[in-house]
Amino acid sequence: MFTVIVGENASGKTCYLNMLYNKYDCVYNRRAEEATIRPLDISLKSAVFLDSDDLQDATNPLEVGRIIDIMLRKSDILLLDEIDSTVDESDKHLVYKVAMLVSKMKPVYAVTHDEDITIYADKVCRLNGDALIDLSREEMLQEIYQDEEMVTV
């Protein structure tokens, strides 16, 4: 299951991921140094196998490779906090695709302000206290863009 959590800045999304990290066996991109100590999950790596051209065609293959390496570490849950903020615009869909493939093997929770990731998600939610509330597409877009000023031409 690939769950994307959207919402305004300072709404507790990262705190929610931190709570999951402290409660369950998780790999978390914000704790990369801890993640890379874990062994690679060979069965997951086989299931997510990327064409080597995909990574070579990336604008920043080192950063994309680093994120994918974290995603392929052994854990019960994968946590991703704003992964789109560390890769180039042209590389983010490769990272999202890998997250979606990983989600077929274990739960993935991603926090974002990027609407593009939602096409890969099984469900999109927002936080209400400590509870996740499922959103429709219209509600999701409102949550993502509520912090941005609307410009009229």
Side-chain angles (χ1 to χ4, degrees):
M1 175 68 69
F2 189 4
T3 303
V4 173
I5 305 168
V6 297
E8 62 185 85
N9 290 332
S11 63
K13 299 180 304 291
T14 298
C15 290
Y16 185 80
L17 292 185
N18 288 333
M19 182 272 301
L20 291 175
Y21 183 82
N22 291 325
K23 193 171 183 180
Y24 302 102
D25 177 32
C26 302
V27 169
Y28 188 13
N29 69 307
R30 294 286 186 204
R31 309 254 174 112
E33 64 287 343
E34 295 170 22
T36 55
I37 294 171
R38 293 172 175 260
L40 280 173
D41 186 330
I42 301 305
S43 62
L44 184 58
K45 185 175 181 179
S46 300
V48 175
F49 178 79
L50 290 175
D51 184 341
S52 60
D53 289 340
D54 286 343
L55 201 49
Q56 290 175 349
D57 292 342
T59 305
N60 188 346
L62 290 176
E63 182 61 21
V64 172
R66 185 188 71 79
I67 293 170
I68 291 171
D69 179 70
I70 291 168
M71 290 187 205
L72 299 178
R73 297 296 171 154
K74 284 189 177 183
S75 70
D76 293 337
I77 300 171
L78 173 61
L79 306 175
L80 301 170
D81 192 353
E82 303 284 354
I83 57 170
D84 48 279
S85 67
T86 62
V87 295
D88 292 333
E89 184 73 20
S90 59
D91 294 340
K92 69 182 182 181
H93 289 284
L94 176 59
V95 174
Y96 296 164
K97 176 184 167 186
V98 172
M100 179 189 69
L101 292 170
V102 168
S103 75
K104 306 298 182 214
M105 306 277 293
K106 63 181 170 184
V108 175
Y109 292 88
V111 164
T112 189
H113 292 281
D114 184 9
E115 153 187 7
D116 290 347
I117 195 174
T118 63
I119 62 174
Y120 297 89
D122 296 308
K123 68 180 187 174
V124 178
C125 303
R126 70 173 170 78
L127 277 174
N128 184 8
D130 285 342
L132 292 178
I133 308 299
D134 290 353
L135 297 177
S136 67
R137 178 148 180 82
E138 293 78 25
E139 292 169 323
M140 175 270 302
L141 290 172
Q142 183 178 351
E143 287 289 330
I144 288 174
Y145 292 112
Q146 68 185 348
D147 288 340
E148 297 184 16
E149 275 186 43
M150 298 305 287
V151 178
T152 328
V153 179

mmCIF file of all heavy atoms in Angstrom, residues 71-107:
data_model
loop_
_atom_site.group_PDB
_atom_site.id
_atom_site.type_symbol
_atom_site.label_atom_id
_atom_site.label_comp_id
_atom_site.label_asym_id
_atom_site.label_seq_id
_atom_site.Cartn_x
_atom_site.Cartn_y
_atom_site.Cartn_z
ATOM 1 N N MET A 71 15.503 2.956 -0.105
ATOM 2 C CA MET A 71 14.210 2.286 -0.283
ATOM 3 C C MET A 71 14.338 0.762 -0.291
ATOM 4 O O MET A 71 13.386 0.065 0.067
ATOM 5 C CB MET A 71 13.559 2.728 -1.595
ATOM 6 C CG MET A 71 13.072 4.138 -1.610
ATOM 7 S SD MET A 71 12.151 4.378 -3.152
ATOM 8 C CE MET A 71 12.314 6.105 -3.378
ATOM 9 N N LEU A 72 15.489 0.258 -0.702
ATOM 10 C CA LEU A 72 15.670 -1.187 -0.858
ATOM 11 C C LEU A 72 16.270 -1.864 0.373
ATOM 12 O O LEU A 72 16.650 -3.033 0.323
ATOM 13 C CB LEU A 72 16.534 -1.475 -2.087
ATOM 14 C CG LEU A 72 15.956 -0.999 -3.423
ATOM 15 C CD1 LEU A 72 16.924 -1.302 -4.556
ATOM 16 C CD2 LEU A 72 14.593 -1.609 -3.680
ATOM 17 N N ARG A 73 16.336 -1.159 1.486
ATOM 18 C CA ARG A 73 16.862 -1.740 2.725
ATOM 19 C C ARG A 73 15.775 -2.532 3.442
ATOM 20 O O ARG A 73 14.588 -2.232 3.332
ATOM 21 C CB ARG A 73 17.412 -0.642 3.647
ATOM 22 C CG ARG A 73 18.584 0.124 3.056
ATOM 23 C CD ARG A 73 19.774 -0.771 2.855
ATOM 24 N NE ARG A 73 20.837 -0.121 2.103
ATOM 25 C CZ ARG A 73 22.107 -0.459 2.213
ATOM 26 N NH1 ARG A 73 22.470 -1.443 3.026
ATOM 27 N NH2 ARG A 73 23.009 0.159 1.500
ATOM 28 N N LYS A 74 16.196 -3.533 4.203
ATOM 29 C CA LYS A 74 15.247 -4.385 4.939
ATOM 30 C C LYS A 74 14.531 -3.578 6.013
ATOM 31 O O LYS A 74 15.164 -2.873 6.798
ATOM 32 C CB LYS A 74 15.963 -5.570 5.590
ATOM 33 C CG LYS A 74 16.329 -6.651 4.620
ATOM 34 C CD LYS A 74 16.835 -7.881 5.338
ATOM 35 C CE LYS A 74 17.108 -8.964 4.305
ATOM 36 N NZ LYS A 74 17.530 -10.205 4.921
ATOM 37 N N SER A 75 13.206 -3.713 6.027
ATOM 38 C CA SER A 75 12.355 -3.094 7.045
ATOM 39 C C SER A 75 10.930 -3.567 6.809
ATOM 40 O O SER A 75 10.627 -4.165 5.779
ATOM 41 C CB SER A 75 12.410 -1.565 6.972
ATOM 42 O OG SER A 75 11.770 -1.107 5.800
ATOM 43 N N ASP A 76 10.062 -3.280 7.772
ATOM 44 C CA ASP A 76 8.642 -3.599 7.607
ATOM 45 C C ASP A 76 7.890 -2.489 6.885
ATOM 46 O O ASP A 76 6.882 -2.725 6.232
ATOM 47 C CB ASP A 76 7.986 -3.849 8.973
ATOM 48 C CG ASP A 76 8.517 -5.113 9.641
ATOM 49 O OD1 ASP A 76 9.028 -5.999 8.932
ATOM 50 O OD2 ASP A 76 8.414 -5.200 10.877
ATOM 51 N N ILE A 77 8.374 -1.241 7.027
ATOM 52 C CA ILE A 77 7.700 -0.068 6.465
ATOM 53 C C ILE A 77 8.752 0.877 5.890
ATOM 54 O O ILE A 77 9.839 1.015 6.450
ATOM 55 C CB ILE A 77 6.885 0.674 7.556
ATOM 56 C CG1 ILE A 77 5.816 -0.236 8.156
ATOM 57 C CG2 ILE A 77 6.254 1.956 7.021
ATOM 58 C CD1 ILE A 77 5.104 0.345 9.377
ATOM 59 N N LEU A 78 8.406 1.544 4.791
ATOM 60 C CA LEU A 78 9.268 2.571 4.205
ATOM 61 C C LEU A 78 8.617 3.932 4.418
ATOM 62 O O LEU A 78 7.437 4.118 4.108
ATOM 63 C CB LEU A 78 9.461 2.315 2.703
ATOM 64 C CG LEU A 78 10.202 3.397 1.918
ATOM 65 C CD1 LEU A 78 11.625 3.593 2.448
ATOM 66 C CD2 LEU A 78 10.206 3.059 0.431
ATOM 67 N N LEU A 79 9.384 4.880 4.953
ATOM 68 C CA LEU A 79 8.913 6.246 5.197
ATOM 69 C C LEU A 79 9.693 7.210 4.304
ATOM 70 O O LEU A 79 10.927 7.167 4.279
ATOM 71 C CB LEU A 79 9.117 6.628 6.661
ATOM 72 C CG LEU A 79 8.518 5.690 7.703
ATOM 73 C CD1 LEU A 79 8.910 6.135 9.104
ATOM 74 C CD2 LEU A 79 7.012 5.610 7.551
ATOM 75 N N LEU A 80 8.976 8.067 3.597
ATOM 76 C CA LEU A 80 9.599 9.023 2.685
ATOM 77 C C LEU A 80 9.074 10.426 2.981
ATOM 78 O O LEU A 80 7.882 10.673 2.889
ATOM 79 C CB LEU A 80 9.285 8.642 1.231
ATOM 80 C CG LEU A 80 9.751 7.253 0.812
ATOM 81 C CD1 LEU A 80 9.169 6.886 -0.550
ATOM 82 C CD2 LEU A 80 11.265 7.172 0.803
ATOM 83 N N ASP A 81 9.976 11.311 3.328
ATOM 84 C CA ASP A 81 9.606 12.685 3.661
ATOM 85 C C ASP A 81 10.166 13.624 2.600
ATOM 86 O O ASP A 81 11.373 13.823 2.517
ATOM 87 C CB ASP A 81 10.149 13.040 5.041
ATOM 88 C CG ASP A 81 9.575 14.335 5.585
ATOM 89 O OD1 ASP A 81 8.849 15.028 4.853
ATOM 90 O OD2 ASP A 81 9.854 14.650 6.749
ATOM 91 N N GLU A 82 9.268 14.173 1.783
ATOM 92 C CA GLU A 82 9.640 15.159 0.756
ATOM 93 C C GLU A 82 10.773 14.668 -0.146
ATOM 94 O O GLU A 82 11.722 15.405 -0.415
ATOM 95 C CB GLU A 82 10.027 16.489 1.418
ATOM 96 C CG GLU A 82 8.965 17.090 2.301
ATOM 97 C CD GLU A 82 7.822 17.751 1.547
ATOM 98 O OE1 GLU A 82 7.886 17.860 0.310
ATOM 99 O OE2 GLU A 82 6.852 18.151 2.202
ATOM 100 N N ILE A 83 10.673 13.428 -0.636
ATOM 101 C CA ILE A 83 11.752 12.910 -1.495
ATOM 102 C C ILE A 83 11.886 13.711 -2.778
ATOM 103 O O ILE A 83 12.963 13.740 -3.370
ATOM 104 C CB ILE A 83 11.601 11.411 -1.813
ATOM 105 C CG1 ILE A 83 10.261 11.105 -2.462
ATOM 106 C CG2 ILE A 83 11.860 10.563 -0.602
ATOM 107 C CD1 ILE A 83 10.160 9.700 -3.017
ATOM 108 N N ASP A 84 10.833 14.379 -3.189
ATOM 109 C CA ASP A 84 10.891 15.189 -4.401
ATOM 110 C C ASP A 84 11.774 16.422 -4.220
ATOM 111 O O ASP A 84 12.229 17.003 -5.194
ATOM 112 C CB ASP A 84 9.490 15.600 -4.837
ATOM 113 C CG ASP A 84 8.673 16.159 -3.690
ATOM 114 O OD1 ASP A 84 8.130 15.356 -2.912
ATOM 115 O OD2 ASP A 84 8.610 17.386 -3.560
ATOM 116 N N SER A 85 12.052 16.808 -2.985
ATOM 117 C CA SER A 85 12.848 18.018 -2.746
ATOM 118 C C SER A 85 14.344 17.780 -2.928
ATOM 119 O O SER A 85 15.100 18.737 -3.024
ATOM 120 C CB SER A 85 12.579 18.564 -1.340
ATOM 121 O OG SER A 85 13.069 17.667 -0.365
ATOM 122 N N THR A 86 14.779 16.526 -3.001
ATOM 123 C CA THR A 86 16.218 16.251 -3.114
ATOM 124 C C THR A 86 16.629 15.782 -4.505
ATOM 125 O O THR A 86 17.807 15.523 -4.729
ATOM 126 C CB THR A 86 16.660 15.197 -2.081
ATOM 127 O OG1 THR A 86 15.976 13.967 -2.346
ATOM 128 C CG2 THR A 86 16.384 15.655 -0.667
ATOM 129 N N VAL A 87 15.675 15.651 -5.414
ATOM 130 C CA VAL A 87 16.012 15.221 -6.780
ATOM 131 C C VAL A 87 15.527 16.260 -7.780
ATOM 132 O O VAL A 87 14.626 17.049 -7.495
ATOM 133 C CB VAL A 87 15.393 13.836 -7.128
ATOM 134 C CG1 VAL A 87 15.986 12.753 -6.262
ATOM 135 C CG2 VAL A 87 13.892 13.846 -7.049
ATOM 136 N N ASP A 88 16.139 16.235 -8.954
ATOM 137 C CA ASP A 88 15.727 17.141 -10.019
ATOM 138 C C ASP A 88 14.323 16.792 -10.484
ATOM 139 O O ASP A 88 13.885 15.646 -10.383
ATOM 140 C CB ASP A 88 16.692 17.041 -11.210
ATOM 141 C CG ASP A 88 18.072 17.579 -10.890
ATOM 142 O OD1 ASP A 88 18.177 18.450 -10.007
ATOM 143 O OD2 ASP A 88 19.039 17.125 -11.518
ATOM 144 N N GLU A 89 13.656 17.783 -11.039
ATOM 145 C CA GLU A 89 12.292 17.606 -11.554
ATOM 146 C C GLU A 89 12.224 16.421 -12.520
ATOM 147 O O GLU A 89 11.289 15.630 -12.480
ATOM 148 C CB GLU A 89 11.842 18.900 -12.251
ATOM 149 C CG GLU A 89 10.429 18.896 -12.757
ATOM 150 C CD GLU A 89 9.392 19.004 -11.655
ATOM 151 O OE1 GLU A 89 9.708 19.445 -10.549
ATOM 152 O OE2 GLU A 89 8.236 18.635 -11.946
ATOM 153 N N SER A 90 13.223 16.277 -13.361
ATOM 154 C CA SER A 90 13.204 15.213 -14.366
ATOM 155 C C SER A 90 13.442 13.825 -13.758
ATOM 156 O O SER A 90 13.134 12.823 -14.404
ATOM 157 C CB SER A 90 14.251 15.491 -15.446
ATOM 158 O OG SER A 90 15.538 15.565 -14.862
ATOM 159 N N ASP A 91 13.976 13.759 -12.548
ATOM 160 C CA ASP A 91 14.283 12.471 -11.909
ATOM 161 C C ASP A 91 13.204 11.991 -10.946
ATOM 162 O O ASP A 91 13.188 10.826 -10.555
ATOM 163 C CB ASP A 91 15.603 12.559 -11.134
ATOM 164 C CG ASP A 91 16.798 12.775 -12.035
ATOM 165 O OD1 ASP A 91 16.693 12.491 -13.240
ATOM 166 O OD2 ASP A 91 17.834 13.245 -11.526
ATOM 167 N N LYS A 92 12.300 12.866 -10.548
ATOM 168 C CA LYS A 92 11.371 12.504 -9.478
ATOM 169 C C LYS A 92 10.449 11.351 -9.862
ATOM 170 O O LYS A 92 10.112 10.527 -9.013
ATOM 171 C CB LYS A 92 10.580 13.704 -8.985
ATOM 172 C CG LYS A 92 9.576 14.263 -9.953
ATOM 173 C CD LYS A 92 8.886 15.477 -9.360
ATOM 174 C CE LYS A 92 7.849 16.017 -10.319
ATOM 175 N NZ LYS A 92 7.183 17.192 -9.775
ATOM 176 N N HIS A 93 10.070 11.235 -11.134
ATOM 177 C CA HIS A 93 9.169 10.152 -11.516
ATOM 178 C C HIS A 93 9.845 8.784 -11.412
ATOM 179 O O HIS A 93 9.186 7.801 -11.091
ATOM 180 C CB HIS A 93 8.576 10.388 -12.898
ATOM 181 C CG HIS A 93 7.585 11.501 -12.900
ATOM 182 N ND1 HIS A 93 6.298 11.362 -12.404
ATOM 183 C CD2 HIS A 93 7.692 12.801 -13.273
ATOM 184 C CE1 HIS A 93 5.664 12.509 -12.500
ATOM 185 N NE2 HIS A 93 6.493 13.403 -13.014
ATOM 186 N N LEU A 94 11.142 8.737 -11.622
ATOM 187 C CA LEU A 94 11.874 7.484 -11.416
ATOM 188 C C LEU A 94 11.837 7.090 -9.939
ATOM 189 O O LEU A 94 11.573 5.932 -9.596
ATOM 190 C CB LEU A 94 13.322 7.637 -11.898
ATOM 191 C CG LEU A 94 14.245 6.443 -11.668
ATOM 192 C CD1 LEU A 94 13.722 5.188 -12.353
ATOM 193 C CD2 LEU A 94 15.653 6.776 -12.161
ATOM 194 N N VAL A 95 12.033 8.040 -9.060
ATOM 195 C CA VAL A 95 11.991 7.787 -7.618
ATOM 196 C C VAL A 95 10.571 7.382 -7.195
ATOM 197 O O VAL A 95 10.390 6.434 -6.428
ATOM 198 C CB VAL A 95 12.482 9.027 -6.836
ATOM 199 C CG1 VAL A 95 12.299 8.846 -5.344
ATOM 200 C CG2 VAL A 95 13.948 9.317 -7.169
ATOM 201 N N TYR A 96 9.563 8.075 -7.715
ATOM 202 C CA TYR A 96 8.172 7.737 -7.391
ATOM 203 C C TYR A 96 7.821 6.330 -7.876
ATOM 204 O O TYR A 96 7.116 5.584 -7.204
ATOM 205 C CB TYR A 96 7.202 8.738 -8.019
ATOM 206 C CG TYR A 96 7.306 10.159 -7.522
ATOM 207 C CD1 TYR A 96 6.728 11.194 -8.235
ATOM 208 C CD2 TYR A 96 7.970 10.487 -6.350
ATOM 209 C CE1 TYR A 96 6.792 12.503 -7.798
ATOM 210 C CE2 TYR A 96 8.047 11.780 -5.909
ATOM 211 C CZ TYR A 96 7.458 12.798 -6.634
ATOM 212 O OH TYR A 96 7.530 14.087 -6.188
ATOM 213 N N LYS A 97 8.315 5.985 -9.065
ATOM 214 C CA LYS A 97 8.049 4.656 -9.621
ATOM 215 C C LYS A 97 8.628 3.569 -8.715
ATOM 216 O O LYS A 97 7.977 2.556 -8.434
ATOM 217 C CB LYS A 97 8.649 4.552 -11.023
ATOM 218 C CG LYS A 97 8.532 3.195 -11.666
ATOM 219 C CD LYS A 97 9.250 3.184 -13.012
ATOM 220 C CE LYS A 97 9.423 1.783 -13.533
ATOM 221 N NZ LYS A 97 10.225 1.753 -14.758
ATOM 222 N N VAL A 98 9.836 3.781 -8.239
ATOM 223 C CA VAL A 98 10.453 2.805 -7.335
ATOM 224 C C VAL A 98 9.656 2.712 -6.041
ATOM 225 O O VAL A 98 9.393 1.615 -5.544
ATOM 226 C CB VAL A 98 11.935 3.150 -7.067
ATOM 227 C CG1 VAL A 98 12.514 2.246 -5.988
ATOM 228 C CG2 VAL A 98 12.743 3.028 -8.344
ATOM 229 N N ALA A 99 9.231 3.840 -5.498
ATOM 230 C CA ALA A 99 8.416 3.832 -4.267
ATOM 231 C C ALA A 99 7.137 3.030 -4.499
ATOM 232 O O ALA A 99 6.725 2.239 -3.643
ATOM 233 C CB ALA A 99 8.097 5.256 -3.830
ATOM 234 N N MET A 100 6.513 3.206 -5.656
ATOM 235 C CA MET A 100 5.290 2.467 -5.973
ATOM 236 C C MET A 100 5.580 0.965 -6.049
ATOM 237 O O MET A 100 4.816 0.152 -5.526
ATOM 238 C CB MET A 100 4.710 2.943 -7.303
ATOM 239 C CG MET A 100 3.447 2.209 -7.723
ATOM 240 S SD MET A 100 2.940 2.605 -9.413
ATOM 241 C CE MET A 100 4.244 1.832 -10.352
ATOM 242 N N LEU A 101 6.692 0.580 -6.663
ATOM 243 C CA LEU A 101 7.041 -0.834 -6.762
ATOM 244 C C LEU A 101 7.356 -1.428 -5.383
ATOM 245 O O LEU A 101 6.955 -2.544 -5.084
ATOM 246 C CB LEU A 101 8.225 -1.018 -7.715
ATOM 247 C CG LEU A 101 7.929 -0.707 -9.186
ATOM 248 C CD1 LEU A 101 9.221 -0.673 -9.996
ATOM 249 C CD2 LEU A 101 6.944 -1.704 -9.760
ATOM 250 N N VAL A 102 8.048 -0.676 -4.552
ATOM 251 C CA VAL A 102 8.343 -1.125 -3.187
ATOM 252 C C VAL A 102 7.033 -1.338 -2.427
ATOM 253 O O VAL A 102 6.898 -2.287 -1.644
ATOM 254 C CB VAL A 102 9.256 -0.116 -2.452
ATOM 255 C CG1 VAL A 102 9.332 -0.410 -0.961
ATOM 256 C CG2 VAL A 102 10.653 -0.113 -3.071
ATOM 257 N N SER A 103 6.047 -0.487 -2.680
ATOM 258 C CA SER A 103 4.775 -0.571 -1.951
ATOM 259 C C SER A 103 4.005 -1.859 -2.252
ATOM 260 O O SER A 103 3.071 -2.194 -1.531
ATOM 261 C CB SER A 103 3.900 0.644 -2.251
ATOM 262 O OG SER A 103 3.322 0.562 -3.535
ATOM 263 N N LYS A 104 4.394 -2.571 -3.281
ATOM 264 C CA LYS A 104 3.766 -3.866 -3.569
ATOM 265 C C LYS A 104 4.274 -4.939 -2.602
ATOM 266 O O LYS A 104 3.645 -5.977 -2.435
ATOM 267 C CB LYS A 104 4.052 -4.314 -5.008
ATOM 268 C CG LYS A 104 3.690 -3.305 -6.067
ATOM 269 C CD LYS A 104 2.219 -2.988 -6.090
ATOM 270 C CE LYS A 104 1.921 -2.005 -7.203
ATOM 271 N NZ LYS A 104 0.869 -1.087 -6.906
ATOM 272 N N MET A 105 5.410 -4.657 -1.937
ATOM 273 C CA MET A 105 6.041 -5.621 -1.031
ATOM 274 C C MET A 105 5.897 -5.233 0.452
ATOM 275 O O MET A 105 5.958 -6.096 1.318
ATOM 276 C CB MET A 105 7.535 -5.746 -1.364
ATOM 277 C CG MET A 105 7.826 -6.080 -2.807
ATOM 278 S SD MET A 105 7.707 -7.815 -3.189
ATOM 279 C CE MET A 105 9.051 -8.481 -2.274
ATOM 280 N N LYS A 106 5.764 -3.923 0.716
ATOM 281 C CA LYS A 106 5.611 -3.448 2.099
ATOM 282 C C LYS A 106 4.960 -2.078 2.071
ATOM 283 O O LYS A 106 5.020 -1.379 1.061
ATOM 284 C CB LYS A 106 6.959 -3.412 2.819
ATOM 285 C CG LYS A 106 7.984 -2.448 2.243
ATOM 286 C CD LYS A 106 9.280 -2.531 3.025
ATOM 287 C CE LYS A 106 10.408 -1.777 2.346
ATOM 288 N NZ LYS A 106 11.662 -1.961 3.073
ATOM 289 N N PRO A 107 4.344 -1.674 3.184
ATOM 290 C CA PRO A 107 3.697 -0.350 3.213
ATOM 291 C C PRO A 107 4.705 0.788 3.034
ATOM 292 O O PRO A 107 5.813 0.739 3.571
ATOM 293 C CB PRO A 107 3.078 -0.286 4.608
ATOM 294 C CG PRO A 107 3.035 -1.691 5.099
ATOM 295 C CD PRO A 107 4.156 -2.412 4.420
#
